Amino acid sequence: LLQSSVNSFGSIAMAGYTAANNVLGFLFVSVNSVTQACMSFTSQNFGVGKYKRMDRVLIDCLILTVTVGLTLGCGAYFFGTEILQIYTEDPEVIRCGIEILSITTVPYFLCGIMDLFPGALRGMGYSAVPMILSIIGTVGTRIVWIFGLFPAHRSLSFLFISYPVSWILTILMQAVCFCFVRKHVHQSVNRDLA
């Protein structure tokens, strides 16, 4: 749906989106590595019953994700013209790519945070609900955005604002889910000790 919406702006927007999407791929790999570490360390601590350490793992990973996401995201935006020139020399395509990068790369740390909570939950053995919340938060928000809001505000910028909006909404849902699961895990431990 997003691709077809971009396609409606023509070949320059399509080329700009393709180039910008390549940059986003590098950002994703960077922040996703922190998510994988969070999941691994959470599951190890969960397995040996060190539940307080799971909180520390999440906090450390949040700090790392924000640092990596902001550094690389801001770098990708500020050096966007030079980076996009790897993919194209057309100034209009680069301008279009920069427009997309300005909205998606600087707040990319939000995408990393959005993935951390499900990573921690998977580490505790809960994977179904975070998956459903991720689908509702990212895919659902973007579908509503494209069909509900985008037709009244047809611009490339407005289309891509759906990225950070969907990240924020998903973070909120995932954080609530994490708090419930964390509380359940800690209550189970307390019952077992009593």
Side-chain angles (χ1 to χ4, degrees):
L1 292 173
L2 188 68
Q3 182 68 60
S4 64
S5 298
V6 171
N7 293 354
S8 71
F9 289 100
S11 61
I12 290 174
M14 290 163 53
Y17 173 61
T18 301
N21 213 28
N22 287 328
V23 175
L24 288 175
F26 288 108
L27 291 175
F28 173 77
V29 169
S30 301
V31 296
N32 186 259
S33 64
V34 180
T35 297
Q36 297 305 314
C38 180
M39 184 172 56
S40 296
F41 288 117
T42 299
S43 65
Q44 289 170 4
N45 286 301
F46 182 77
V48 295
K50 300 204 180 235
Y51 302 112
K52 295 261 185 215
R53 281 192 187 174
M54 293 188 312
D55 295 339
R56 186 67 205 168
V57 166
L58 183 60
I59 290 167
D60 288 346
C61 287
L62 281 167
I63 292 166
L64 194 55
T65 293
V66 170
T67 303
V68 169
L70 274 174
T71 302
L72 295 179
C74 290
Y77 172 64
F78 291 125
F79 298 104
T81 302
E82 291 78 10
I83 295 169
L84 292 175
Q85 285 175 347
I86 295 169
Y87 302 103
T88 182
E89 292 181 9
D90 185 330
E92 282 302 304
V93 172
I94 291 171
R95 184 196 58 73
C96 213
I98 291 292
E99 184 177 355
I100 294 167
L101 290 179
S102 70
I103 298 164
T104 56
T105 58
V106 175
Y108 202 81
F109 69 95
L110 293 170
C111 181
I113 294 170
M114 175 188 75
D115 286 343
L116 274 180
F117 288 108
L121 288 164
R122 286 194 303 270
M124 289 186 273
Y126 295 85
S127 59
V129 173
M131 177 196 66
I132 293 165
L133 292 178
S134 291
I135 292 169
I136 293 169
T138 55
V139 178
T141 300
R142 291 176 192 176
I143 288 172
V144 169
W145 193 271
I146 288 168
F147 288 115
L149 302 171
F150 176 63
H153 307 278
R154 281 192 49 79
S155 74
L156 210 52
S157 297
F158 191 80
L159 178 64
F160 282 95
I161 289 172
S162 67
Y163 274 56
V165 168
S166 66
W167 294 335
I168 290 167
L169 290 174
T170 307
I171 288 168
L172 295 173
M173 289 189 294
Q174 297 287 12
V176 169
C177 179
F178 176 81
C179 289
F180 278 114
V181 170
R182 182 186 175 280
K183 184 177 179 182
H184 173 74
V185 167
H186 285 276
Q187 284 176 343
S188 298
V189 172
N190 292 336
R191 276 196 306 270
D192 293 343
L193 292 175

